[in-house]
Amino acid sequence: MELKTTRYGVAERIATITLARPKRRNAWTGRMHTEYRWLLEQANQDPGVRVIIVTGDPEGQAFCAGADLGALEGHAEKGRYDAGTAEDIATPGFGVDPNFDASFAYHFGLDKPVIAAINGAAAGVGLVLAAFTDLRFAVQGAKFTTAHGRFNFPAEFGLSWVLPRIVGLTHANDLLLSSRVFTAEEALAMGFLNRVLPAESLMDEVRAYAGRIAAGVAPGSARETKHQIYRDLHRDAASSVRDAEALLEAMIRHPDYAEGVKAWVQKRAALWQG
């Protein structure tokens, strides 16, 4: 696929997806969603990738400023919502669990951790994207908003489901019902962010964190643990325990278990087969 609104690179087992519409503050379009899903699929299928980072083009001075204004105007002119995507759009993460088979929820079905490096404002769908990643690091002073209230929209793309599960109902109600702007520092205090960092060190810190996962966590363990986390948000405790026991029985037979034990005893880095 020709990349017009994103960039992609892989280094040291880390894939980096960059939202790249800097003249539009990396605003979201149907084309960007199409490319983003296609890139997630490439990264998820690549055995050389262990962790995925998503960030915004720094020249755009935003992570993702939400839906492109032209798209918003287009909805009004057409009198209907138009996602701007084709029926054959890639389906990364689909097929793992029916609860994950929808826009942005597909992140939960990916085999690899996804880290948002939020290097500027995240509004509307930009905030949605960040919320559906597994870990979130942001620059100091970054501004966030759900934004939907000012356009007579509902809470978008499952944000009313995911946000209370991250920050709790009280904070989620504040952010969703007011559509107010809040800062990275507030987001950290609410539990939305894992860390707030100076702009000059954000990407280095995120890559270092991703590198520790890539080197220190068996790929099978990362995959199954991630799926457990999000499946368990939809079910009872007993089902979680039974599934964990079944996975333990299966995964202990994988060569990476024996390799992990040997590496621990020998005090060396493990050589995962994946």
Side-chain angles (χ1 to χ4, degrees), residues 48-131:
V49 170
R50 300 278 177 83
V51 184
I52 302 166
I53 296 171
V54 57
T55 192
D57 186 322
E59 291 187 13
Q61 298 183 329
F63 173 70
C64 175
D68 185 80
L69 181 59
L72 293 174
E73 292 174 336
H75 300 328
E77 291 170 1
K78 295 174 184 176
R80 63 179 178 84
Y81 174 74
D82 182 1
T85 56
E87 291 186 2
D88 62 351
I89 190 170
T91 53
F94 279 61
V96 172
D97 188 296
N99 290 300
F100 309 159
D101 293 352
S103 291
F104 297 101
Y106 52 68
H107 286 89
F108 298 160
L110 297 173
D111 295 340
K112 299 159 187 184
V114 182
I115 304 174
I118 306 169
N119 55 342
V125 68
L127 183 68
V128 171
L129 172 57

Side-chain angles (χ1 to χ4, degrees), residues 2-8 17-21 31-33 35-36 39:
E2 182 183 2
L3 301 181
K4 297 180 178 180
T5 64
T6 58
R7 294 195 302 274
Y8 183 71
I17 300 173
T18 303
L19 310 180
R21 298 184 70 228
R31 174 73 193 193
M32 181 178 281
H33 196 177
E35 292 182 18
Y36 179 69
L39 289 173

Side-chain angles (χ1 to χ4, degrees), residues 8-274:
Y8 183 71
V10 177
E12 298 179 337
R13 297 174 291 190
I14 301 166
T16 301
I17 300 173
T18 303
L19 310 180
R21 298 184 70 228
K23 293 181 180 179
R24 304 291 289 182
R25 302 193 72 212
N26 303 322
W28 194 259
T29 63
R31 174 73 193 193
M32 181 178 281
H33 196 177
T34 299
E35 292 182 18
Y36 179 69
R37 285 171 65 151
W38 186 81
L39 289 173
L40 282 181
E41 192 166 69
Q42 307 312 301
N44 203 48
Q45 294 175 351
D46 185 348
V49 170
R50 300 278 177 83
V51 184
I52 302 166
I53 296 171
V54 57
T55 192
D57 186 322
E59 291 187 13
Q61 298 183 329
F63 173 70
C64 175
D68 185 80
L69 181 59
L72 293 174
E73 292 174 336
H75 300 328
E77 291 170 1
K78 295 174 184 176
R80 63 179 178 84
Y81 174 74
D82 182 1
T85 56
E87 291 186 2
D88 62 351
I89 190 170
T91 53
F94 279 61
V96 172
D97 188 296
N99 290 300
F100 309 159
D101 293 352
S103 291
F104 297 101
Y106 52 68
H107 286 89
F108 298 160
L110 297 173
D111 295 340
K112 299 159 187 184
V114 182
I115 304 174
I118 306 169
N119 55 342
V125 68
L127 183 68
V128 171
L129 172 57
F132 277 99
T133 60
D134 304 305
L135 298 151
R136 289 165 291 278
F137 295 70
V139 294
Q140 295 169 343
K143 293 182 179 180
F144 305 113
T145 176
T146 61
H148 64 280
R150 71 192 63 168
F151 301 115
N152 192 41
F153 278 175
E156 299 177 272
F157 298 111
L159 198 58
S160 57
W161 182 91
V162 71
L163 201 55
R165 285 163 170 79
I166 299 173
V167 303
L169 185 61
T170 300
H171 290 309
N173 282 348
D174 169 25
L175 304 179
L176 291 167
L177 294 174
S178 71
S179 287
R180 71 176 180 86
V181 174
F182 59 105
T183 65
E185 288 71 20
E186 285 183 89
L188 180 65
M190 292 178 187
F192 183 73
L193 298 174
N194 295 91
R195 200 172 303 168
V196 172
L197 299 160
E200 61 271 17
S201 62
L202 175 69
M203 291 308 297
D204 287 342
E205 291 281 351
V206 172
R207 290 192 184 103
Y209 186 98
R212 289 192 291 272
I213 294 176
V217 178
S221 180
R223 177 185 65 248
E224 297 302 338
T225 300
K226 174 167 175 167
H227 293 169
Q228 284 177 284
I229 290 167
Y230 295 114
R231 278 197 180 111
D232 288 351
L233 288 174
H234 296 84
R235 62 182 178 179
D236 60 276
S239 295
S240 175
V241 172
R242 286 192 291 268
D243 186 54
E245 290 174 334
L247 282 168
L248 182 62
E249 290 289 337
M251 294 173 70
I252 204 168
R253 294 193 290 270
H254 193 280
D256 276 351
Y257 167 71
E259 169 61 13
V261 173
K262 288 180 182 178
W264 181 262
V265 171
Q266 297 171 7
K267 295 181 173 54
R268 60 172 174 82
L271 302 174
W272 308 118
Q273 294 185 23

